[in-house]
Amino acid sequence: MTTDPKVTFSREHVGGWGMAVGGQAEVFRPASSEQIAAAFESSDDPIALRGNGRSYGDASMATGGKVLDLTAMNRILAFDAETGIARVEPGVRIRDLWRHSIAFGYWPPVVPGTMQVTVGGAVSMNVHGKNCSQVGPFGDCVRSLRLLTPSGELLDCSREQNADVFHAVIGGFGMLGCLVEIELKLKRVHSGRMRVWGYPIRNLEDGFAVLEADRGRADYLVGWCDLYAKGSGLGRGVMHRADQLDAGEDPDGEAMLRPEAQDVPSTLFGLVPKGWIWPGMWCAFQLGMVRTINAVKVRAGYKEGRDSPYLQTHGAFHFLLDYVPRWQWMTKPGGLIQFQPFVPLAQSHVLREVVEQAQAAGFSPYLGVLKRHREDDYLMSHGLEGYSLAIEFGVPRSEARRKKLWELTFRLADHVLDHGGKFYWAKDATLRPQDFERVHGAEAIATFKGLKERLDPRDRLQTDLSRRLFRH
């Protein structure tokens, strides 16, 4: 372990992954809990905690302030090949974790759409995957946490010990302390591949029906939706289902447990480096070809349906966001934002209405991802028994149009919240304090503030997101 307490901040640009928000900040990359404690002691300035910067908006930013980038704390401290229990530092990426565990026949129970998220970030934002309705969010695979508070106190937290802190830190967006160790329970897998089906869907309502029909028997379910389409075709696309294979079911299953067999390929057709692809995507985006590309993808979904089921590696199924490096650059110079409403089952119509209102305002989303969710017991939860639709917008170049997009998200948020919906702050870049209060409710916010006053009485931990949403 690095024990040198020297703290040196350097001025850098720190932005959200979507590139729509960002600014200069003073950044330090500690390599030990001693260096984190020294950073807390070095001044009384507010500090933001940051993982690998994969939140779309301002969740790990502190424009004009100080940031602790935890990516240097990236050691896997222990792994039990008999039980699948791993103990890691917060800067370990999901990629680091599965590459270590897959050879032993284990895979993280919950992974987001990119393997570049850190475990600390996944805990702090309580990320969800393509199996959220089956196994819950990332927090459900966490056994225990070690938290370093800004005052220098080390707290061990679990469902039995400091349980109130445990359930608030998971999904607590880094406001209560800095994670220095995380213990996880991974799941057993018998093959490096899964059996996958592609189901063409005619619209959002068809997607809801597939999610309900397969929810009790599928391991993973997720839908890609065309949100340029209108009327009866709005939300048409492809629903993907994936199931784990039993022991001995895949004759090549053990060979596919090699880490290199799971990595997303670095070239297209074995020839073209994928790092060269984003400029072509940028041209297509700028020329307004998204509608045509979506239509082609919808047609391809019918062929995929005819060819289903097929075998696909875990990496290829889960990590679509890693297929093209820097693909978000296609939205330069404005960048992108994501608007992800969660709505109760009985209010599924709200998702259609949100897209229709966006289209009517002249902001057709270029991407939609449909999922089913369930409730959980974390204090600042976004989980509910219902659906979410992740909607992505390219941010306009002009300040006037950008302002109109932000105003649109305010109106859409009001509509979602009026129908009992929620939001997920790892994806947000635009919403307001009143939206935060309506998502979580007065009782949960009062409890959270009480914990913050106890663990961070000088309010040292702040981010651009917390200052925008949370009344410090």
Side-chain angles (χ1 to χ4, degrees):
M1 174 180 290
T2 301
T3 57
D4 180 3
K6 183 178 179 181
V7 176
T8 304
F9 284 87
S10 59
R11 193 161 182 80
E12 300 177 14
H13 178 84
V14 177
W17 185 82
M19 305 177 303
V21 292
Q24 293 291 311
E26 299 292 325
V27 181
F28 173 56
R29 292 176 175 82
S32 68
S33 57
E34 290 84 1
Q35 288 188 332
I36 296 170
F40 284 142
E41 293 171 2
S42 65
S43 77
D44 290 330
D45 295 337
I47 289 178
L49 303 177
R50 182 176 176 89
N52 205 26
R54 264 20 188 206
S55 291
Y56 279 61
D58 53 5
S60 60
M61 290 169 40
T63 304
K66 291 186 173 179
V67 174
L68 289 188
D69 179 324
L70 298 170
T71 51
M73 292 190 65
N74 57 6
R75 295 182 302 157
I76 296 176
L77 301 170
F79 178 73
D80 188 329
E82 295 297 320
T83 63
I85 294 175
R87 187 162 52 88
V88 305
E89 291 183 323
V92 168
R93 295 172 300 167
I94 297 295
R95 181 179 187 269
D96 304 325
L97 181 62
W98 70 251
R99 282 185 67 85
H100 187 88
S101 67
I102 190 71
F104 300 99
Y106 287 94
W107 185 263
V110 175
V111 295
T114 170
M115 67 180 89
Q116 302 303 332
V117 169
T118 62
V119 173
V123 172
S124 297
M125 304 310 294
N126 203 12
V127 303
H128 53 267
K130 299 174 175 66
N131 55 350
C132 31
S133 70
Q134 294 89 320
V135 304
F138 193 85
D140 282 10
C141 69
V142 176
R143 287 167 52 92
S144 65
L145 306 166
R146 177 162 287 180
L147 188 76
L148 177 63
T149 70
S151 62
E153 181 183 9
L154 272 175
L155 281 180
D156 289 317
C157 307
S158 68
R159 289 173 175 81
E160 296 78 35
Q161 183 179 10
N162 294 310
D164 57 343
V165 178
F166 179 86
H167 286 91
V169 167
I170 295 174
F173 49 98
M175 288 295 100
L176 302 180
C178 183
L179 293 164
V180 294
E181 289 186 19
I182 302 141
E183 188 177 74
L184 308 164
K185 178 70 169 73
L186 277 58
K187 71 175 180 181
R188 190 78 172 88
V189 293
H190 300 287
S191 169
R193 298 188 291 194
M194 296 186 291
R195 182 174 290 110
V196 178
W197 288 261
Y199 303 142
I201 54 174
R202 296 166 301 205
N203 47 40
L204 277 178
E205 292 74 19
D206 202 12
F208 300 143
V210 173
L211 287 172
E212 294 306 316
D214 278 12
R215 186 169 66 93
R217 52 183 182 167
D219 288 320
Y220 301 94
L221 279 170
V222 64
W224 169 82
C225 301
D226 176 10
L227 301 186
Y228 266 75
K230 296 183 177 182
S232 62
L234 189 153
R236 63 184 182 171
V238 187
M239 184 70 62
H240 285 105
R241 167 185 172 177
D243 291 348
Q244 305 285 353
L245 298 172
D246 294 331
E249 193 174 358
D250 181 0
D252 298 318
E254 289 192 13
M256 297 301 294
L257 290 172
R258 293 176 294 110
E260 56 271 23
Q262 297 295 320
D263 264 325
V264 174
S266 60
T267 60
L268 187 66
F269 308 121
L271 297 172
V272 181
K274 288 189 173 178
W276 297 0
I277 296 175
W278 77 263
M281 297 173 65
W282 182 88
C283 291
F285 191 81
Q286 302 302 321
L287 293 172
M289 296 175 63
V290 175
R291 184 189 305 275
T292 301
I293 292 170
N294 282 0
V296 170
K297 187 167 181 176
V298 168
R299 288 196 293 272
Y302 285 94
K303 181 181 185 304
E304 185 179 0
R306 293 192 298 270
D307 294 341
S308 294
Y310 54 91
L311 297 180
Q312 189 174 35
T313 65
H314 298 269
F317 178 80
H318 287 294
F319 303 126
L320 292 178
L321 294 180
D322 298 323
Y323 261 73
V324 178
R326 301 184 297 275
W327 67 265
Q328 77 275 24
W329 286 14
M330 74 175 184
T331 61
K332 284 187 172 186
L336 65 92
I337 62 170
Q338 190 171 112
F339 183 84
Q340 186 176 16
F342 292 64
V343 299
L345 292 175
Q347 305 298 327
S348 61
H349 61 91
V350 172
L351 298 182
R352 167 178 281 274
E353 292 161 2
V354 162
V355 178
E356 289 174 337
Q357 289 179 39
Q359 291 175 341
F363 290 100
S364 292
Y366 67 84
L367 174 70
V369 177
L370 182 65
K371 293 177 183 173
R372 176 70 153 84
H373 298 265
R374 72 181 192 190
E375 293 182 341
D376 58 61
D377 59 357
Y378 302 102
L379 181 62
M380 306 305 285
S381 175
H382 58 271
L384 48 65
E385 196 71 28
Y387 307 106
S388 75
L389 184 65
I391 300 168
E392 290 191 2
F393 298 100
V395 176
R397 301 183 187 191
S398 79
E399 188 58 36
R401 286 282 290 166
R402 179 185 171 104
K403 182 180 179 182
K404 286 185 179 297
L405 176 57
W406 259 242
E407 291 170 347
L408 170 66
T409 66
F410 301 157
R411 296 195 301 274
L412 298 180
D414 287 338
H415 188 58
V416 170
L417 293 166
D418 287 345
H419 289 83
K422 290 190 172 188
F423 289 94
Y424 170 50
W425 308 119
K427 300 290 184 72
D428 176 57
T430 69
L431 298 188
R432 306 154 295 180
Q434 59 264 38
D435 303 321
F436 183 84
E437 291 161 3
R438 292 182 70 186
V439 166
H440 297 294
E443 183 178 352
I445 290 176
T447 300
F448 190 74
K449 284 186 174 181
L451 287 169
K452 185 160 179 67
E453 289 169 4
R454 181 177 120 202
L455 301 173
D456 183 19
R458 292 188 295 157
D459 198 19
R460 297 292 308 286
L461 295 171
Q462 298 183 28
T463 63
D464 286 357
L465 178 141
S466 76
R467 287 190 282 265
R468 175 166 58 87
L469 293 176
F470 184 66
R471 300 186 192 277
H472 283 271

